[in-house]
């Protein structure tokens, strides 16, 4: 039971416009974040410097307010009231400039007042940063030498507070509000930028199925490779369709003759009144069927010779064995005509080839040689290999081909004017197309003593089959030519498998 192949899954329906829009938006957001981070860090640095200056001023101001009462008993109470007043003033006037402040007051080495949070050791003076109770503190100290009074004020030093001191409404809000306003024109820019692609799609959709004319070259260099690739594909499709159309027309023309022969002899067979007339009509009918079948086989072989290279898997092939097999099949063809076939084959010639296509090449070349060789003549087949490549030659003693016609005989259905041999005109085109898939070439030359010499050249393998062959092919023994008897003509494609 044949298993049905699963239908291909539908490709994801994604939008190139949204992809470009998303990329542009992501870049904008990333740049905005980098810019905002730079601005915030810069603002934090500015605020830190400002905080140090203001904290030093506040320490000196506190010392000035308490120095006159340094010797009195109410110094601690006065410091407490001063801090309360300071908290009110800070909250009203400059809470955005400095954070919550704590204060310590020493009279000499004695701690008189402690607002809390700072360590109990007497400060040395000036600005200081210290850790106490898991908190980072920025402190400023001032000392009055006359009264021996020392005041230390401090505030928590955190990046969060430094950032909180930044004017967020000034820095952050404009960017947040401008983001949608920037994305809206960005969407229109993306849509407008992709309009040429939509125009190309619209032009392709509006075409008739038979219109394979090239697209106009767009003015944008980014789209020129796309339209160039589409035009190249259309050109290849147009050439392929033209070849197939010509092949169908030529095939129909080629099949007209055998069909007419079949029709005429079928009518003669129906109208025949004697055994002799019936025999002649039957023979003509068989001739028409044979000719039609041969044309069909050649057409199929020509179509297969143009298969995609990926479908023709090449494997190491002993070309000598294949050649011996095909020559043995054709040796039976010339038995009644006295044609001898000589095979001069160098052993051990193994190449990466596609067996079926190479068999078609050999069959068509040998078929032509046997078809045009005169009775009692000889067909010589040689195979030789060296480091430069492999050469297969087939020589006959027939009429040959004039030099000016040797290029035209590779055109399908071309027949040499005045030729009386039967054929479809596809043998050499099949051979050349099949050789192309195997990396080989074919040439037509004059044979020694008259006739045609077909030369097939194949490239050397990447790894030589034997060291002796690659190093010194002239040292290999040369087998003597062998003459193979012939038999009545069968179809070369059906006589041997």
């Amino acid at each position: 039971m044949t298993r049905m192949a699963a239908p291909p899954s539908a490709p994801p329906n994604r939008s190139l416009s949204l992809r470009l829009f998303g990329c542009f938006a992501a870049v904008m957001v990333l740049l905005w974040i980098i810019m905002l981070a730079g601005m915030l860090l810069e603002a934090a640095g500015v605020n830190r410097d400002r905080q140090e200056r203001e904290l030093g001023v506040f320490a000196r101001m506190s010392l000035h307010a308490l120095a006159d009462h340094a010797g009195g008993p109410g110094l601690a109470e006065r410091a407490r009231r001063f801090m309360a007043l300071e908290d009110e003033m800070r909250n009203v006037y400059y809470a955005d400039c400095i954070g919550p402040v704590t204060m310590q007051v020493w009279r000499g080495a004695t701690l008189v007042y402690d607002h809390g949070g700072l360590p109990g050791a007497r400060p040395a003076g000036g600005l200081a940063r210290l850790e106490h109770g898991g908190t980072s503190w920025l402190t400023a100290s001032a000392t009055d030498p006359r009264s021996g009074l020392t005041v230390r004020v401090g505030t928590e030093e955190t990046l969060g507070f430094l950032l909180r001191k930044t004017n967020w409404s000034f820095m952050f809000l404009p960017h947040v509000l401008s983001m949608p306003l920037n994305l809206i024109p960005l969407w229109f820019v993306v849509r407008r930028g992709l309009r040429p692609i939509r125009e190309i799609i619209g032009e392709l959709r509006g075409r008739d199925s038979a219109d394979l004319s090239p697209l106009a070259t767009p003015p944008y260099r980014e789209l020129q490779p796309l339209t160039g690739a589409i035009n190249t594909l259309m050109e290849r499709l147009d050439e392929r369709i033209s070849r197939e159309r010509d092949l169908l027309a030529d095939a129909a023309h080629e099949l007209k003759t055998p069909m007419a022969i079949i029709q005429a002899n079928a009518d003669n067979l129906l109208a025949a009144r004697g055994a002799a007339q019936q025999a002649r009509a039957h023979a003509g009918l068989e001739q028409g069927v044979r000719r039609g079948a041969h044309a069909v086989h050649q057409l199929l072989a020509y179509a297969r010779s143009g298969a995609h290279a990926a479908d023709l898997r090449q494997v190491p092939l002993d070309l000598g064995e294949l050649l011996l097999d095909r020559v043995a099949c054709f040796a039976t063809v010339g038995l009644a005509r006295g044609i001898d076939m000589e095979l001069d084959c160098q052993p051990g010639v193994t190449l990466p080839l596609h067996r079926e296509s190479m068999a078609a090449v050999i069959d068509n070349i040998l078929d032509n040689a046997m078809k045009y060789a005169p009775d009692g003549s000889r067909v010589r087949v040689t195979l030789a290999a060296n480091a430069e490549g492999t050469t297969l030659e087939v020589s006959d003693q027939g009429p040959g081909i004039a030099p000016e016609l040797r290029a035209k005989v590779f055109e399908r259905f071309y027949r040499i004017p005045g030729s009386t041999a039967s054929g479809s005109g596809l043998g050499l085109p099949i051979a050349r197309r099949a050789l192309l898939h195997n990396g080989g070439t074919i040439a037509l030359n004059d044979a020694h003593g008259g006739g045609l010499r077909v030369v097939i050249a194949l490239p050397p393998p990447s790894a030589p089959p034997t060291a002796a062959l690659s190093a010194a092919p002239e040292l290999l023994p040369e087998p003597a030519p062998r003459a193979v008897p012939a038999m009545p003509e069968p179809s070369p494609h059906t006589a041997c498998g």
Side-chain angles (χ1 to χ4, degrees), residues 2 40 43 83 114 121 179 201 245 249 257 279 322 331 374 383 398 416 471-472:
T2 303
L40 291 177
M83 281 299 300
D114 187 2
M179 182 62 66
I201 295 174
R245 187 184 297 114
T257 300
L322 176 64
L383 175 66
I416 296 177

Side-chain angles (χ1 to χ4, degrees), residues 382-447:
T382 61
L383 175 66
N386 54 35
E388 297 179 356
T390 300
T391 303
L392 170 62
E393 295 186 5
V394 178
S395 303
D396 62 57
Q397 297 176 334
I401 299 177
E404 63 271 14
L405 298 179
R406 289 174 185 172
K408 295 188 67 66
V409 294
F410 289 103
E411 300 175 4
R412 61 177 183 266
F413 300 111
Y414 179 79
R415 300 292 305 281
I416 296 177
S419 174
T420 58
S422 62
S424 59
L426 286 173
L428 289 176
I430 291 172
R432 185 173 66 172
R433 289 182 65 172
L435 277 173
L436 287 176
H437 293 302
N438 289 279
T441 59
I442 183 171
L444 306 179
N445 299 312
D446 293 328

Side-chain angles (χ1 to χ4, degrees), residues 348-361:
V349 180
T350 301
L351 300 174
L353 300 170
H354 181 252
R355 180 182 177 85
E356 287 73 17
S357 60
M358 278 306 301
V361 172

Side-chain angles (χ1 to χ4, degrees), residues 92-127:
V92 173
Y93 294 106
Y94 50 88
D96 60 333
C97 299
I98 191 171
V101 178
T102 187
M103 185 172 66
Q104 291 176 332
V105 180
W106 277 270
R107 183 188 292 123
T110 303
L111 180 61
V112 178
Y113 174 76
D114 187 2
H115 191 267
L118 295 174
R122 188 174 184 272
L127 289 172

